[in-house]
Coordinates of all heavy atoms in Angstrom, one line a residue:
F61 N 89.1 -84.4 -5.3 CA 89.7 -85.5 -6.1 C 91.2 -85.6 -6.0 O 91.9 -84.6 -5.7 CB 89.2 -85.4 -7.5 CG 89.7 -84.2 -8.3 CD1 90.8 -84.1 -9.0 CD2 88.9 -83.0 -8.2 CE1 91.2 -83.0 -9.7 CE2 89.3 -81.8 -8.9 CZ 90.5 -81.8 -9.6
V86 N 88.7 -75.6 -4.4 CA 88.6 -74.4 -5.2 C 89.9 -74.2 -5.9 O 91.0 -74.5 -5.4 CB 88.5 -73.2 -4.2 CG1 88.7 -71.8 -4.9 CG2 87.1 -73.2 -3.5
V91 N 99.0 -66.4 -7.2 CA 99.8 -65.2 -7.3 C 99.2 -63.9 -6.9 O 99.8 -62.9 -6.7 CB 100.4 -65.0 -8.7 CG1 101.3 -66.2 -9.1 CG2 99.3 -64.8 -9.8
T101 N 90.5 -68.9 -1.4 CA 89.0 -69.0 -1.7 C 88.5 -67.6 -2.2 O 87.4 -67.5 -2.7 CB 88.2 -69.4 -0.5 OG1 88.6 -68.7 0.7 CG2 88.5 -70.9 -0.2
S111 N 81.1 -75.8 -10.9 CA 80.3 -74.6 -11.3 C 80.0 -74.6 -12.8 O 80.7 -75.3 -13.5 CB 81.1 -73.3 -10.9 OG 82.4 -73.3 -11.5
D137 N 104.4 -92.9 -5.4 CA 104.1 -94.3 -5.0 C 102.8 -94.3 -4.2 O 102.2 -95.4 -4.0 CB 105.2 -94.9 -4.2 CG 105.7 -94.1 -3.0 OD1 105.1 -93.1 -2.7 OD2 106.6 -94.6 -2.2
P146 N 92.5 -93.0 1.0 CA 91.4 -92.2 1.6 C 91.9 -91.1 2.5 O 91.2 -90.0 2.5 CB 90.7 -93.3 2.5 CG 91.1 -94.6 1.9 CD 92.5 -94.4 1.3
D153 N 89.1 -81.5 1.1 CA 88.1 -80.7 1.6 C 87.9 -80.9 3.1 O 88.2 -80.0 3.9 CB 86.7 -81.0 0.9 CG 85.6 -80.1 1.3 OD1 85.7 -79.4 2.3 OD2 84.6 -80.0 0.6
M155 N 89.1 -82.6 5.8 CA 90.1 -82.4 6.8 C 90.6 -80.9 6.8 O 90.7 -80.3 7.9 CB 91.3 -83.3 6.6 CG 92.3 -83.2 7.7 SD 91.7 -83.7 9.3 CE 92.6 -82.6 10.4
A161 N 88.0 -74.7 10.8 CA 87.1 -74.4 12.0 C 87.9 -74.3 13.3 O 87.7 -73.5 14.1 CB 86.0 -75.5 12.1
L183 N 83.6 -84.4 12.3 CA 84.5 -85.5 12.8 C 86.0 -85.0 12.5 O 86.9 -85.2 13.3 CB 84.3 -86.8 12.1 CG 82.9 -87.4 12.5 CD1 82.7 -88.7 11.7 CD2 82.8 -87.7 14.0
R206 N 79.1 -92.7 14.1 CA 79.9 -91.5 13.9 C 80.6 -91.1 15.2 O 81.7 -90.6 15.1 CB 78.9 -90.4 13.4 CG 78.3 -90.7 12.0 CD 77.4 -89.6 11.5 NE 76.8 -90.0 10.2 CZ 76.3 -89.1 9.4 NH1 76.3 -87.8 9.7 NH2 75.8 -89.6 8.2
A220 N 74.6 -86.3 23.0 CA 73.6 -86.7 22.0 C 72.4 -85.8 21.8 O 71.7 -85.9 20.8 CB 73.1 -88.1 22.2
I227 N 72.7 -77.6 24.9 CA 73.4 -76.5 25.6 C 73.5 -76.8 27.1 O 74.6 -76.6 27.7 CB 72.5 -75.2 25.4 CG1 72.6 -74.8 23.9 CG2 73.1 -74.1 26.2 CD1 71.6 -73.8 23.5
V242 N 84.5 -73.5 20.0 CA 83.4 -74.3 19.5 C 83.5 -74.3 17.9 O 83.6 -73.3 17.3 CB 82.0 -73.7 19.9 CG1 80.9 -74.5 19.3 CG2 81.9 -73.6 21.4
E249 N 70.3 -72.8 11.5 CA 70.0 -71.8 12.5 C 70.2 -72.4 13.9 O 70.8 -71.8 14.8 CB 68.6 -71.2 12.4 CG 68.2 -70.2 13.4 CD 66.8 -69.7 13.2 OE1 66.3 -69.6 12.1 OE2 66.1 -69.4 14.2
E250 N 69.7 -73.6 14.1 CA 69.8 -74.2 15.4 C 71.2 -74.5 15.8 O 71.6 -74.3 16.9 CB 69.0 -75.5 15.5 CG 69.0 -76.2 16.8 CD 68.3 -77.6 16.8 OE1 68.7 -78.5 16.1 OE2 67.3 -77.7 17.5
T254 N 73.2 -73.0 19.0 CA 73.8 -73.9 19.9 C 75.3 -73.6 20.1 O 75.8 -73.5 21.2 CB 73.7 -75.4 19.5 OG1 72.3 -75.7 19.4 CG2 74.4 -76.4 20.4
P271 N 76.0 -72.4 5.2 CA 74.7 -71.9 5.7 C 73.5 -72.3 4.9 O 73.6 -72.1 3.7 CB 75.0 -70.4 5.7 CG 76.4 -70.2 5.7 CD 76.9 -71.4 4.9
G277 N 70.4 -67.6 13.8 CA 71.1 -68.2 15.0 C 72.2 -67.4 15.6 O 72.7 -67.7 16.6
V288 N 82.1 -63.2 23.0 CA 82.3 -64.4 22.1 C 82.7 -64.0 20.7 O 82.0 -63.2 20.1 CB 81.0 -65.2 22.1 CG1 81.2 -66.4 21.1 CG2 80.8 -65.8 23.5
E303 N 100.7 -78.6 5.3 CA 101.1 -79.0 6.7 C 100.3 -80.3 7.1 O 100.8 -81.1 7.8 CB 100.8 -77.9 7.7 CG 99.4 -77.4 7.8 CD 99.2 -76.4 8.9 OE1 99.3 -76.8 10.1 OE2 98.9 -75.2 8.6
A306 N 101.8 -83.5 5.5 CA 103.0 -84.0 6.3 C 102.6 -84.9 7.4 O 103.2 -86.0 7.6 CB 103.8 -82.8 6.8
F319 N 85.5 -92.1 5.6 CA 84.9 -92.8 4.4 C 84.4 -94.2 4.9 O 85.2 -95.0 5.3 CB 85.9 -93.0 3.3 CG 86.3 -91.7 2.7 CD1 87.5 -91.1 2.9 CD2 85.4 -91.0 1.8 CE1 87.9 -89.9 2.4 CE2 85.8 -89.8 1.3 CZ 87.0 -89.2 1.5
T322 N 82.7 -97.3 -0.4 CA 83.5 -97.0 -1.6 C 82.7 -97.6 -2.8 O 82.2 -98.7 -2.8 CB 84.9 -97.7 -1.6 OG1 85.6 -97.1 -0.5 CG2 85.6 -97.4 -2.9
G327 N 78.3 -96.4 -9.4 CA 77.6 -96.5 -8.1 C 77.4 -95.2 -7.4 O 76.8 -95.1 -6.3
R333 N 72.2 -91.4 -2.7 CA 71.0 -91.9 -1.9 C 71.4 -92.3 -0.5 O 70.7 -92.1 0.5 CB 70.3 -93.0 -2.7 CG 69.5 -92.5 -3.9 CD 68.6 -93.6 -4.4 NE 69.4 -94.6 -5.2 CZ 69.6 -94.4 -6.5 NH1 69.2 -93.4 -7.2 NH2 70.3 -95.3 -7.2
R344 N 83.3 -92.7 -0.9 CA 84.5 -92.5 -1.8 C 84.3 -93.2 -3.1 O 83.6 -94.2 -3.2 CB 85.7 -93.2 -1.1 CG 87.0 -93.0 -1.9 CD 88.2 -93.4 -1.0 NE 88.3 -94.8 -0.7 CZ 89.1 -95.7 -1.2 NH1 90.0 -95.3 -2.1 NH2 89.1 -97.0 -0.9

Side-chain angles (χ1 to χ4, degrees):
F61 62 95
V86 171
V91 297
T101 49
S111 56
D137 57 359
D153 185 347
M155 185 61 215
L183 295 175
R206 301 181 179 200
I227 295 168
V242 181
E249 179 180 327
E250 180 184 68
T254 297
V288 173
E303 65 173 288
F319 294 106
T322 300
R333 284 189 283 271
R344 182 168 68 107

